[in-house]
Short mmCIF file of all heavy atoms in Angstrom, two decimals:
data_model
loop_
_atom_site.label_atom_id
_atom_site.label_comp_id
_atom_site.label_asym_id
_atom_site.label_seq_id
_atom_site.Cartn_x
_atom_site.Cartn_y
_atom_site.Cartn_z
N PHE P 1 -9.07 1.92 1.12
CA PHE P 1 -7.79 1.27 0.74
C PHE P 1 -7.69 1.30 -0.82
O PHE P 1 -6.59 1.70 -1.32
CB PHE P 1 -7.77 -0.19 1.23
CG PHE P 1 -6.59 -0.96 0.72
CD1 PHE P 1 -5.34 -0.84 1.32
CD2 PHE P 1 -6.67 -1.78 -0.39
CE1 PHE P 1 -4.25 -1.51 0.86
CE2 PHE P 1 -5.60 -2.50 -0.84
CZ PHE P 1 -4.37 -2.31 -0.25
N PHE P 2 -8.63 0.89 -1.51
CA PHE P 2 -8.56 0.87 -2.98
C PHE P 2 -8.43 2.27 -3.58
O PHE P 2 -7.73 2.51 -4.54
CB PHE P 2 -9.67 0.13 -3.63
CG PHE P 2 -9.61 -1.37 -3.38
CD1 PHE P 2 -10.62 -2.06 -2.66
CD2 PHE P 2 -8.53 -2.15 -3.79
CE1 PHE P 2 -10.54 -3.41 -2.40
CE2 PHE P 2 -8.39 -3.47 -3.54
CZ PHE P 2 -9.43 -4.17 -2.84
N ALA P 3 -9.12 3.27 -2.96
CA ALA P 3 -9.01 4.61 -3.38
C ALA P 3 -7.57 5.09 -3.13
O ALA P 3 -7.06 5.90 -3.94
CB ALA P 3 -10.08 5.51 -2.66
N TRP P 4 -7.02 4.76 -1.98
CA TRP P 4 -5.64 5.18 -1.71
C TRP P 4 -4.72 4.61 -2.70
O TRP P 4 -3.72 5.26 -3.12
CB TRP P 4 -5.34 4.78 -0.30
CG TRP P 4 -3.97 5.34 0.22
CD1 TRP P 4 -2.79 4.73 0.15
CD2 TRP P 4 -3.77 6.65 0.73
NE1 TRP P 4 -1.78 5.58 0.65
CE2 TRP P 4 -2.38 6.74 0.98
CE3 TRP P 4 -4.60 7.74 1.01
CZ2 TRP P 4 -1.83 7.92 1.52
CZ3 TRP P 4 -4.06 8.89 1.50
CH2 TRP P 4 -2.65 9.02 1.78
N GLN P 5 -4.88 3.31 -3.05
CA GLN P 5 -4.01 2.65 -4.09
C GLN P 5 -4.01 3.41 -5.39
O GLN P 5 -3.03 3.46 -6.07
CB GLN P 5 -4.35 1.15 -4.14
CG GLN P 5 -4.11 0.38 -2.93
CD GLN P 5 -2.69 0.45 -2.35
OE1 GLN P 5 -1.73 0.23 -3.10
NE2 GLN P 5 -2.64 0.83 -1.09
N GLU P 6 -5.22 3.91 -5.72
CA GLU P 6 -5.29 4.61 -7.01
C GLU P 6 -4.40 5.87 -7.02
O GLU P 6 -3.94 6.39 -8.11
CB GLU P 6 -6.76 5.03 -7.22
CG GLU P 6 -7.65 3.80 -7.57
CD GLU P 6 -7.46 3.20 -8.92
OE1 GLU P 6 -6.79 3.82 -9.78
OE2 GLU P 6 -7.85 2.01 -9.10
N ARG P 7 -4.20 6.49 -5.86
CA ARG P 7 -3.42 7.65 -5.77
C ARG P 7 -1.97 7.44 -6.04
O ARG P 7 -1.22 8.33 -6.36
CB ARG P 7 -3.52 8.31 -4.38
CG ARG P 7 -4.99 8.76 -4.10
CD ARG P 7 -5.07 9.41 -2.62
NE ARG P 7 -4.49 10.69 -2.52
CZ ARG P 7 -3.36 10.94 -1.83
NH1 ARG P 7 -2.74 9.99 -1.17
NH2 ARG P 7 -2.84 12.17 -1.78
N ARG P 8 -1.53 6.17 -5.82
CA ARG P 8 -0.14 5.76 -6.01
C ARG P 8 0.83 6.58 -5.20
O ARG P 8 1.94 6.93 -5.66
CB ARG P 8 0.21 5.78 -7.52
CG ARG P 8 -0.71 5.00 -8.38
CD ARG P 8 -0.40 5.01 -9.88
NE ARG P 8 0.85 4.33 -10.08
CZ ARG P 8 1.44 4.15 -11.34
NH1 ARG P 8 0.79 4.70 -12.39
NH2 ARG P 8 2.61 3.54 -11.48
N ILE P 9 0.41 6.99 -4.01
CA ILE P 9 1.26 7.74 -3.12
C ILE P 9 1.35 6.99 -1.78
O ILE P 9 0.29 6.57 -1.20
CB ILE P 9 0.68 9.15 -2.83
CG1 ILE P 9 0.61 9.87 -4.15
CG2 ILE P 9 1.56 9.89 -1.86
CD1 ILE P 9 -0.07 11.28 -4.06
N HIS P 10 2.55 6.89 -1.23
CA HIS P 10 2.71 6.15 -0.02
C HIS P 10 2.84 7.22 1.12
O HIS P 10 3.29 8.37 0.92
CB HIS P 10 4.01 5.35 -0.04
CG HIS P 10 4.02 4.20 -0.94
ND1 HIS P 10 3.20 3.06 -0.79
CD2 HIS P 10 4.58 4.01 -2.16
CE1 HIS P 10 3.33 2.26 -1.79
NE2 HIS P 10 4.19 2.76 -2.60
N GLN P 11 2.30 6.87 2.29
CA GLN P 11 2.48 7.76 3.40
C GLN P 11 3.93 7.87 3.84
O GLN P 11 4.72 6.95 3.71
CB GLN P 11 1.63 7.20 4.57
CG GLN P 11 0.18 7.02 4.29
CD GLN P 11 -0.56 6.38 5.51
OE1 GLN P 11 -0.80 7.06 6.51
NE2 GLN P 11 -0.95 5.15 5.38
N LYS P 12 4.23 9.02 4.40
CA LYS P 12 5.59 9.26 4.95
C LYS P 12 5.74 8.39 6.17
O LYS P 12 4.88 8.24 6.98
CB LYS P 12 5.73 10.73 5.32
CG LYS P 12 5.63 11.68 4.18
CD LYS P 12 5.74 13.14 4.69
CE LYS P 12 5.60 14.09 3.47
NZ LYS P 12 5.67 15.49 3.92
N ARG P 13 6.90 7.73 6.20
CA ARG P 13 7.24 6.85 7.36
C ARG P 13 7.78 7.69 8.45
O ARG P 13 8.86 8.30 8.43
CB ARG P 13 8.30 5.83 6.93
CG ARG P 13 7.82 4.85 5.87
CD ARG P 13 6.69 3.95 6.38
NE ARG P 13 6.28 3.02 5.40
CZ ARG P 13 6.77 1.77 5.30
NH1 ARG P 13 7.69 1.28 6.13
NH2 ARG P 13 6.23 0.93 4.33
N LEU P 14 6.99 7.86 9.53
CA LEU P 14 7.31 8.70 10.67
C LEU P 14 7.82 7.78 11.84
O LEU P 14 7.52 6.67 11.91
CB LEU P 14 6.12 9.49 11.16
CG LEU P 14 5.50 10.40 10.10
CD1 LEU P 14 4.29 11.12 10.66
CD2 LEU P 14 6.46 11.45 9.56
N GLU P 15 8.55 8.40 12.72
CA GLU P 15 9.09 7.67 13.84
C GLU P 15 8.98 8.56 15.10
O GLU P 15 8.71 9.82 14.98
CB GLU P 15 10.59 7.28 13.71
CG GLU P 15 10.84 6.40 12.53
CD GLU P 15 10.22 5.01 12.71
OE1 GLU P 15 9.95 4.65 13.89
OE2 GLU P 15 10.09 4.30 11.69
N GLY P 16 9.07 8.02 16.30
CA GLY P 16 9.14 8.81 17.50
C GLY P 16 7.92 9.58 17.78
O GLY P 16 6.79 9.18 17.57
N MET P 17 8.18 10.85 18.23
CA MET P 17 7.02 11.71 18.61
C MET P 17 6.10 12.10 17.42
O MET P 17 4.87 12.26 17.60
CB MET P 17 7.50 12.99 19.30
CG MET P 17 8.26 12.76 20.62
SD MET P 17 7.14 12.00 21.79
CE MET P 17 5.92 13.22 22.05
N LYS P 18 6.64 12.24 16.31
CA LYS P 18 5.78 12.56 15.11
C LYS P 18 4.84 11.48 14.83
O LYS P 18 3.64 11.66 14.56
CB LYS P 18 6.64 12.82 13.89
CG LYS P 18 7.45 14.16 14.00
CD LYS P 18 8.26 14.39 12.67
CE LYS P 18 8.95 15.71 12.74
NZ LYS P 18 9.71 16.07 11.48
N LEU P 19 5.28 10.15 14.88
CA LEU P 19 4.43 9.03 14.66
C LEU P 19 3.38 8.96 15.74
O LEU P 19 2.20 8.72 15.55
CB LEU P 19 5.20 7.72 14.63
CG LEU P 19 4.41 6.42 14.51
CD1 LEU P 19 3.59 6.41 13.28
CD2 LEU P 19 5.34 5.17 14.61
N ALA P 20 3.85 9.17 17.05
CA ALA P 20 2.96 9.07 18.19
C ALA P 20 1.79 10.15 18.06
O ALA P 20 0.61 9.88 18.26
CB ALA P 20 3.68 9.34 19.47
N ALA P 21 2.16 11.36 17.62
CA ALA P 21 1.15 12.44 17.46
C ALA P 21 0.18 12.06 16.34
O ALA P 21 -1.02 12.25 16.53
CB ALA P 21 1.89 13.77 17.13
N LYS P 22 0.67 11.52 15.24
CA LYS P 22 -0.18 11.12 14.13
C LYS P 22 -1.20 10.04 14.58
O LYS P 22 -2.37 10.09 14.27
CB LYS P 22 0.68 10.65 12.97
CG LYS P 22 -0.14 10.09 11.75
CD LYS P 22 0.71 9.67 10.63
CE LYS P 22 -0.14 9.10 9.48
NZ LYS P 22 0.70 8.57 8.33
N VAL P 23 -0.70 8.99 15.21
CA VAL P 23 -1.45 7.90 15.65
C VAL P 23 -2.53 8.34 16.64
O VAL P 23 -3.74 7.96 16.58
CB VAL P 23 -0.61 6.74 16.20
CG1 VAL P 23 -1.49 5.69 16.87
CG2 VAL P 23 0.21 6.12 15.08
N ILE P 24 -2.16 9.15 17.65
CA ILE P 24 -3.09 9.57 18.71
C ILE P 24 -4.22 10.40 18.06
O ILE P 24 -5.42 10.20 18.37
CB ILE P 24 -2.33 10.43 19.77
CG1 ILE P 24 -1.38 9.48 20.59
CG2 ILE P 24 -3.39 11.12 20.73
CD1 ILE P 24 -0.50 10.29 21.53
N ALA P 25 -3.88 11.36 17.16
CA ALA P 25 -4.92 12.11 16.45
C ALA P 25 -5.80 11.26 15.66
O ALA P 25 -7.09 11.46 15.68
CB ALA P 25 -4.27 13.14 15.59
N GLY P 26 -5.28 10.24 15.05
CA GLY P 26 -6.11 9.32 14.29
C GLY P 26 -7.07 8.51 15.09
O GLY P 26 -8.27 8.34 14.69
N PHE P 27 -6.59 8.03 16.28
CA PHE P 27 -7.48 7.31 17.14
C PHE P 27 -8.52 8.19 17.79
O PHE P 27 -9.62 7.71 18.10
CB PHE P 27 -6.64 6.59 18.23
CG PHE P 27 -6.02 5.33 17.75
CD1 PHE P 27 -4.64 5.06 18.04
CD2 PHE P 27 -6.72 4.41 17.11
CE1 PHE P 27 -4.04 3.83 17.58
CE2 PHE P 27 -6.18 3.21 16.58
CZ PHE P 27 -4.82 3.02 16.83
N VAL P 28 -8.19 9.48 18.02
CA VAL P 28 -9.26 10.39 18.56
C VAL P 28 -10.42 10.49 17.57
O VAL P 28 -11.55 10.41 17.94
CB VAL P 28 -8.66 11.72 18.87
CG1 VAL P 28 -9.70 12.77 19.18
CG2 VAL P 28 -7.68 11.65 20.03
N GLY P 29 -10.01 10.68 16.29
CA GLY P 29 -11.12 10.76 15.27
C GLY P 29 -11.89 9.49 15.13
O GLY P 29 -13.13 9.52 15.08
#
């Protein structure tokens, strides 16, 4: 979290199938 804050970049806000695909891949890992 703190390393991510240092980057000063926010994640893209996704919706629908793109968000579902991102979340599913994250949970698999």
